[in-house]
Amino acid sequence: MDHAVETTLTVNGTRITRRIAPRVHLVDFLRDELGLTGSHIGCEHGVCGACTVRVNGDIVRGCLMLAVQADGCTVETIEGLSDSKELAPLQQAFHEHNALQCGFCTPGMLMAAQDLVRSGTKPTRDEIRAHISGNYCRCTGYQAIVDAIEATINGKG
Amino acid sequence: MGKAELPLHAPGTKVDRGYIGESVPRPGLQRLLQGRGAFIDDLRFPRLAHVAFFRSPYAHALVKKLDFKAALRAPGVIAVLDGRAVAEYCTPWVAVLAHLKGIKSPPQHAIAIERACWQGEAVAAVVAESRSQAEDAVALIEAEWKELPVVVDMDDALAGRNVIHPDLGDNICFKREHDTGGVDDAFSSAVVVVEETFHFGRHTGVCLEGRAILADYNAGEHSLTVYHATQAPHMMQDIFSRHLNIPEANVRVITKDVGGSFGIKVHVYPDEMATAAISVMLRRPVKFVADRLESFLSDIHAREHKAKVRLACSKEGDILAFDLDDVTAIGPYSVYPRTSGIEGNQVVNLTGGPYKHQKYRAKMHVVFTNKNVTCQYRAVGHPIAVALTEGIVDIAAQKLGMDPAEFRRRNLIADDAYPYTFPSGIKFEKLSHHKTLDLLLQKMDYKALRAEQAELRKQKIYRGIGLASMIEVTNPSPAFYGVGGARISAQDGATLRLEPTGMLTVMCSVTEQGQGTEAIFAQIAASAVGVSLAKVKVITGDTGITPYGGGTWASRGAGIGGEAVLLAGRALRSNMLDVAAAMLKMDKAELDIAGNAVVHKLTTEKKLELAELGRVAYFRPDTLPLDFQSELTVTRHYTPRQYGFTFTNGIQASLLEVDPDSGFVKLLKHWCVEDSGTVINPMLVDEQLRGGVVQGIGAALFEECIYGPDGQLLNGSMADYLVPMAGEMPDIVCAHVETPTMQSQLGAKGVGEAGTAGAPGAIMNAINDALAPLGARVTRMPFTPERILKALKKVD
Amino acid sequence: MKAPSFAYAKAKSLAEAFELIERPGARILAGGQSLIPSLNMRLASPELLIDITGLKDLQGIDRRPGGLRIGALVTHAQLQRSDAVDQHAPLLLQAAAHIAHPAIRNRGTMGGSLALADPAAEYPACALALNATIVLVHRRGERRVPAAKFFKGLFETDIRPGEILAAAEFPKVERSVFLELARRHGDYAIVGLAGVADASGRRIAYLGVGATPVFAEQASRAVSLNAALELLGRDLQPQADLYNSSATKLHLAKVLLSRAWTTLSKPH
Ligand SMILES: Cc1cc2nc3c(=O)[nH]c(=O)nc-3n(C[C@H](O)[C@H](O)[C@H](O)COP(=O)(O)OP(=O)(O)OC[C@H]3O[C@@H](n4cnc5c(N)ncnc54)[C@H](O)[C@@H]3O)c2cc1C
Ligand code: FES
Ligand code: FES
C-alpha cells in the first residue's frame, strides 16, 4: 500500500539505502528517517525556504522533492555543512550580527546564503536581498541577515 | 563603593556597569546555527502518537452526525475522537476577566461539540502512528452538517440580526465607554476639526514554526509532562492542571526552542488542550504540530478594527480633544485566558497617547463573528491606536498647513511634565517625546529629505515622509490580568547558583523565543556577581526547574525578569563575599568580586579564585567556622507595582516612494528612535526594533486574512497570504534615548513590541504624504496597489 | 499537510514513459515545483507519478536554423545560464529572472511550466509572444502545436492523453521586453507583459489577465501608444483575483504597455 521504493543516496558523505514511501518528501525523510532535524518545515508548499537543502550541489526546496527522487543523489544538509566547516564564516557572521533570533529559518537561510557566497560574485545589498527573497524570516526583519552575508562576501565587518 | 551596588541608573554616580550596555553576541547560538536546536518537532519519543484534526469546512454549522467507521479502519489509526469523548478528560473554559466589566463569552471545549462556529474549528481528532496516516484517516471521516446563518461583517454583528450565541442575547462580547467630559465643548469651540475612518485588516502572526505540543502522560504517577512551544509555561501548567484535573505539582511544562511566538503562542488553543487530554486518555506521548494550512485557520488572528476618530484643534495648532469610535470583530469566542477584549481596551487607553490635550471620549465595541478567533498579537492594540492617532494628527497638520514634525513638537507632552496622567486614565512615569523627536529628525536629516522631496516632485517622483510618535505599554503590573482574576503571573523569579568551579547557573521564569532574553540575563548576572560572561549558563522554560513567573509577553522579559536576575545576582554576590570573608578571615566590607575572583576592594588585589571559593564551600565546609553556613543558591522575585504599566515612548519615520501609475510602494528607508530605559544590549534591542518594524510593515502593506461572504478564509496559505520578505524591506536605522525607570534598579523598560506598534502608522503617513499633491489619501490597511489606485481614482 | 499515498516510477526511456502513462491515475512528474505543492495540500491525488527527469531526449538547449529548441526538462536555472537563450530568445532570459527563487528555479522546468499552463506564469506568455511551437510526443509519433493553439483554458492545454511535452521551439527574436508587476520578488505577477518586435511587427502577450496567457492582438497592431491603450481594452477582459479587480488589472496592463512601447516601436 505504501509503494515503497528502494532508494540509495549519499547524505552528508554517508551512503544510505532505504525503502521509502514515494509520498515522503526529502525533508521528512531527512528528519524522521535519518534524524537530521536541522532542516525545518515551515509551509510544505515551497514558499518559506525553511527546508532548503543542497542536492547535487544546488539548493532546492526539500519539501518540493520526493525522497525517492534523490536516488543516486548527493544531499547536503545544515548538519553536514556545519561539520565540514564550509558554513563556518557565514555562521560566525550570523552570530556576530545577531542575524538570527528564534533560529527556525536559519538553516535554510544559511543554505541559501552560502549558495550566493559560493557563486564567487560580489553582490550588492539589493542582490543579496533578491537571492534570499524566497526565505521567510519572521523575527529579524532581514537587515542583520543581509549585513552578515555582505560581511562574509565582502569582508566587511 | 563596589560595582553594581548602586541602582544602575543612580544619578550623579559612576557605576561599573559590567556588561550592561554592551552589544555582546548571544551565547549559545551555534546550536541553532548548526541546525542542532531542539524545537518540539525535533524531539523523538518511543510510542509517540500523532494527532490530526478534522476541522469544520463551514463558518457556522451544526454537526448532525460524525461517522468514524472508515477512519477507524484506516492503517495506523489508534483512535478517532469527537468533542464529547475529549470533554470527559478536559473541562471547558470561559474567557472573561472581572476588570473588563460586562465581557461575556460562551464556554469553549477542546473539541467543538454539536456546533462549529468558524471554518477551521476542530470537531474531531484522529490519533495515528504517523501524521500522514492521521491525515489519511481525517479524509475518511464522514460528517453531516446543517449550515447556520453566518455573521461575517462587524456591522452586521453589531446590528445583531443573527445572534451567534443566542444564550448571550447579542453579538457584543464587550464594550467600553470613556469620557473626560468637555469633549463636545472642545469640538464646538475648535477652529479646526478633522475626522477620518480607518480600517485595519485582520492579520495573523505566521510564526515560521507552527504551534507545537508534545504531551506525555505517565499513568504510573498520574503526571503530565508537556513539551510546549509556549511563551508562558507556568500559566500553561496551571491550565493543564485545572482543566485536565491533575495536581499542579504533577504537571511539568518544558519549553525548549520556540520558532517565533509574537503573542501567537501565549494563548490556550483548543487543539493543544485536546492533544494533552488525548495523551492522558491514551496513556502515551502524543504530538500535534500545526501545519501551515491549519495555522492560518486556527492560530489567533488580530487587529480587525474599524475606527472613526475626530480631532479638535485650535487655530494655533494646539490639539484640544480626541473623539474615538472603534469596533473590532473577534470571532466566535473570547480567547482563554487573556480574553479578546484587551486589544480594543488598549486602543481606548492609548489613542492620542503622546499628546497633551485634556479632553478625550471613546466608545469601543468588541463583537462576535463567525471567523477565526482573534487575540493578543505583538503590540496588542498599539498599531491601531498609533496609526489612527498619527493619521488624524497628520490630517490636522495638513489642514493647518503646518509641517507634521512641527505640529508634533507643539503638541507632544513636554519632557519635564512627569509624572503625568493621560486623559484615558493611564499614568506615565517619565517619557522623552521631545528628545526622541529631535534625535529622529537629526538622524534622518529631515530638512534635507523635505528639500529632496520637493525637488523630486517637480520631476513627478512622489516620495513620502511619514512620522509616528507613540507610547507603549511595557512591564505590566498585576493590573493587566491578575486583577481581573486571571491566573497569569505578573511577577517573575530568578535563581542563581554558584557552581563549585566558579560558574554561574541562572534559572529564570521568563522564556527565550529568540529575543535574546537568555543573553541579557547572562549579561546582568555576570555583571551583578562579577564573573565573565563565559562563566554563565542560563536555563529557562521549565516549570520543574525555574522559579514561578509569567513568561514572555507584553515586553516584560528584560524589565521584570532582568530585575529579578539583578536582585538575585546581588544577593548571591553578597553571600559569596560572606564565604570569602570567612575563608580569608577578613572583613566582608574589604572584599569585592571582579574578573571571576574575590579581590581586595581598594587595591583590587586578587584574594581568592571563585573556583577555590566553590571548592571550599561545597566540598570542604568543614574548614569554615562552625556557625557559618554558605548559601550559594539565591532566588529573588520582582513585580512592578508603582505603575500599572511602565510606559515607553518612541518615534518612527518612513521614507518611501509611490508609483502613481501602478500604485506600488517602494520602501526606501525607515528610522526608529526609542526610549526603552536602560539598554542592556544595544544590538539585541536594535534587532528587536527591526524585526518589529518589518512585522508592522507587513500589516501596512501586505498582510490580511481575507474572508468571503460565507465566512471562508480565501487566502489561507503562504502563497496567498503575503508576509514581508527580504526583497522589499528597507534598511532600518535605530537610535536610543535612555530614560531608565526608577521603579527598578536595572531601569530597563520593554522594547519587543515597539517596532510593530509604530511602523504601520509611519508607513501610512508616508504614503499619504506622497499622495498629498495628487489629492488622494488611503485609510484602509493593508495598502495594496489597488487601494492606492482607487484612492487616486485611477480605477473604480 | 502531507501528501496522500501514490506509487512512483522513474522512466528510463521515452518508451517506458509512454507505457507508464497509460496506467490509470498516472501523472507526469518533472521538476515537481507545482505538482508537489498541490500534493502536499492534498489538492491532487494521482495513483502513480512518472518521474521523467532521467529522460535524455527531453533535455538540452539546441540552436536550430532560425531559432532555438529548448527541451522540456531544461530548468529555469539552466535556461538563465544559457548563452544560446541570451542570443536567440532574450525574452525568456528576462522572464526567467521573475520566476520564483533560486532554489525553485534549480528544479522547475520549462516543460512543466508550459504543461501546467498557469495563466500567471511567465513562460506561457513568452511562448505566445514568440510564436513558439510546442512539441508533443506520443507512443505513435510527434505533434507540433503553435503556442496560440496550445493554451486552451485555465490550467488546460492541448496535451492529449498519452502525450508528453518534449520541447518548445522558439524563433529567433532579438528585440524583446518583459515586464511584470509582482507584489514581492519572485511572486506570481498581478499582470505581466511579454513583448517582441521584428520586421514583421509587434507581438504582445499578457500573463495574469485571464484563464490563459492572452495575445493582445489589436494592441500589437496599433500605430500609436494611445491607440494601443485604447485597443487593449478589447484584447483583455481580465479576471479579478484575490487582491485586484478586473479594472485594476486592465489598468496595470496599460501601465506595462506604456512602459514597453518605446522598445517595441523603434524602427528596424
Ligand atoms: C513558491 C513558488 C513560487 C513560484 N513562482 C512562480 C512564478 O513566479 N512563475 C512561474 O512561472 N512559476 C512559478 N512557480 C512554479 C514553477 O515555475 C514550476 O517549476 C513550474 O510551474 C512547473 O514546472 P515543474 O517542472 O516544476 O513541473 P511539475 O510540478 O513537475 O509539473 C507540473 C504539471 O505539469 C505536468 N508536466 C510536467 N512536465 C511535463 C511534460 N514534459 N509533459 C507533460 N506534462 C508535464 C505535470 O504532470 C504537472 O501536472 C513557483 C513555484 C513555487 C513553489
Ligand atoms: S517548508 Fe519547504 S518551502 Fe516552506
Ligand atoms: S530567526 Fe525566527 S524566523 Fe528567522
Side-chain angles (χ1 to χ4, degrees), chain C residues 85-107:
Chain C
V85 174
D86 190 19
Q87 288 154 14
H88 287 76
L91 179 73
L92 293 174
L93 212 61
Q94 293 167 291
H98 293 276
I99 303 178
H101 312 282
I104 291 167
R105 294 201 291 266
N106 281 337
R107 285 195 69 79

Side-chain angles (χ1 to χ4, degrees), chain B residues 317-338:
Chain B
D318 293 316
I319 301 175
L320 305 172
F322 268 79
D323 188 8
L324 169 72
D325 185 355
D326 182 31
V327 187
T328 174
I330 58 155
Y333 294 97
S334 169
V335 173
Y336 193 55
R338 290 176 143 69

Side-chain angles (χ1 to χ4, degrees), chain B residues 455-763:
Chain B
E455 209 40 51
L456 288 169
R457 268 184 197 170
K458 292 180 200 152
Q459 304 163 39
K460 296 207 167 9
I461 294 173
Y462 295 94
R463 290 218 170 152
I465 299 164
L467 303 178
S469 302
M470 60 186 193
I471 54 166
E472 196 209 331
V473 165
T474 79
N475 298 1
S477 76
F480 209 4
Y481 293 112
V483 292
R487 298 170 69 84
I488 295 172
S489 170
Q491 63 92 58
D492 274 274
T495 297
L496 263 63
R497 182 170 72 222
L498 183 75
E499 306 294 349
T501 57
M503 294 190 74
L504 215 57
T505 303
V506 178
M507 289 156 277
C508 186
S509 52
V510 172
T511 55
E512 169 71 271
Q513 335 256 282
Q515 313 90 317
T517 338
E518 292 185 355
I520 61 162
F521 292 166
Q523 284 177 263
I524 296 166
S527 311
V529 176
V531 301
S532 52
L533 204 54
K535 298 269 181 194
V536 185
K537 168 90 185 152
V538 181
I539 300 174
T540 62
D542 187 341
T543 60
I545 293 176
T546 72
Y548 202 91
T552 300
W553 41 274
S555 298
R556 63 192 297 285
I560 301 178
E563 181 72 0
V565 172
L566 180 69
L567 298 177
R570 287 181 176 166
L572 176 63
R573 181 171 154 282
S574 172
N575 291 0
M576 287 160 67
L577 289 174
D578 286 334
V579 180
M583 285 171 68
L584 297 166
K585 304 199 170 45
M586 287 175 71
D587 186 358
K588 181 180 174 186
E590 290 178 282
L591 298 172
D592 200 355
I593 300 173
N596 306 310
V598 178
V599 298
H600 193 281
K601 190 176 257 174
L602 292 177
T603 63
T604 70
E605 180 200 348
K606 190 186 279 185
K607 290 286 179 192
L608 188 63
E609 293 288 350
L610 292 186
E612 180 58 12
L613 187 156
R615 185 187 71 84
V616 170
Y618 287 110
F619 309 127
R620 295 303 308 274
D622 56 314
T623 63
L624 296 174
L626 256 185
D627 60 351
F628 180 81
Q629 173 60 50
S630 62
E631 292 292 347
L632 297 180
T633 300
V634 171
T635 300
R636 289 291 181 276
H637 294 88
Y638 175 67
T639 320
R641 259 176 300 210
Q642 283 156 273
Y643 287 84
F645 309 98
T646 307
F647 274 90
T648 64
N649 65 282
I651 182 163
Q652 295 188 24
S654 160
L655 175 70
L656 51 74
E657 201 167 290
V658 177
D659 172 2
D661 293 331
S662 66
F664 273 56
V665 173
K666 183 170 172 49
L667 303 174
L668 300 173
K669 203 152 188 165
H670 202 98
W671 294 264
C672 180
V673 176
E674 181 66 15
D675 185 347
S676 51
T678 304
V679 172
I680 300 161
N681 183 323
M683 173 169 71
L684 297 187
V685 167
D686 287 357
E687 287 308 308
Q688 280 304 297
L689 291 174
R690 291 198 175 100
V693 164
V694 166
Q695 233 164 344
I697 291 173
L701 294 183
F702 297 112
E703 299 185 42
E704 181 169 18
C705 302
I706 302 173
Y707 278 85
D710 50 358
Q712 295 285 321
L713 180 63
L714 301 177
N715 61 342
S717 81
M718 285 193 74
D720 294 325
Y721 180 97
L722 307 185
V723 289
M725 301 296 273
E728 289 64 47
M729 291 304 113
D731 279 345
I732 300 157
V733 178
C734 300
H736 305 276
V737 169
E738 285 191 52
T739 309
T741 167
M742 296 292 161
Q743 296 177 74
S744 71
Q745 304 199 25
L746 185 61
K749 307 175 187 175
V751 75
E753 302 173 281
T756 310
I763 299 281

